[in-house]
Amino acid sequence: MNDYKEKILKICNETSKNTLMETLEIDYIDVGEDFLLAKMPVTTKVHQPDGVLHGGAMVALAESVGSAASYIFLDASKFFVRGIEISANHVKSVKDGFVYAKAVILHKGRTTQLWEIKITNEADELISLCKLTTIALPRS
């Protein structure tokens, strides 16, 4: 299982090169049977003007992790995945350190999937609760 886990994380991190995920420095760090976990540094480049983590950066993190999880848990050779709806409730501010996004599947349908993504700080306090709906479209 450990070799499989390392392989999945390596693929997730390699496919992030030259994308928004690389720009935000998102690093996929753990995967299990029903979740994917990533971390992102909180620096001035992801701050809003008043010096705290921008909500849009959190939403980008959540959609990135949820979409990557969809690829892991679906047959990516048969489907491509797109996010079709995302919502976020930001409940706490962060100025520095890291935030962690854990995507857990709530519904795995043949066409749509529903993900809950909790973003926490280094003290494991909830920062944002996101819900992402993805759609799996057949490759032609």
Side-chain angles (χ1 to χ4, degrees):
M1 175 68 177
N2 220 14
D3 288 342
Y4 178 74
K5 181 189 272 192
E6 291 305 316
K7 182 179 178 181
I8 294 295
L9 294 173
K10 183 178 180 184
I11 291 169
C12 287
N13 286 311
E14 285 178 353
T15 58
S16 294
K17 292 186 188 321
N18 299 313
T19 67
L20 178 64
M21 287 71 74
E22 182 177 57
T23 300
L24 294 176
E25 299 179 57
I26 295 170
D27 184 24
Y28 297 94
I29 59 173
D30 197 10
V31 62
E33 290 187 24
D34 67 347
F35 75 91
L36 178 63
L37 179 67
K39 72 177 183 175
M40 181 180 79
V42 180
T43 63
T44 56
K45 75 178 186 179
V46 292
H47 279 175
Q48 58 187 29
D50 70 349
V52 297
L53 179 59
H54 194 289
M58 285 190 277
V59 171
L61 171 62
E63 184 158 359
S64 298
V65 177
S67 293
S70 282
Y71 276 106
I72 291 168
F73 297 111
L74 298 174
D75 186 347
S77 67
K78 294 181 182 175
F79 301 97
F80 64 93
V81 175
R82 295 292 182 262
I84 57 174
E85 182 179 11
I86 190 163
S87 64
N89 289 286
H90 307 308
V91 297
K92 190 173 179 100
S93 297
V94 178
K95 293 183 178 192
D96 54 25
F98 286 90
V99 288
Y100 299 85
K102 184 175 184 178
V104 176
I105 194 156
L106 299 176
H107 169 73
K108 184 179 176 183
R110 287 180 293 142
T111 305
T112 60
Q113 303 76 44
L114 179 60
W115 296 90
E116 176 183 78
I117 302 104
K118 289 184 179 178
I119 299 176
T120 57
N121 62 14
E122 292 173 303
D124 201 32
E125 298 169 318
L126 184 65
I127 304 303
S128 185
L129 179 61
C130 303
K131 181 182 74 172
L132 171 67
T133 305
T134 57
I135 188 167
L137 300 168
R139 293 188 183 271
S140 24

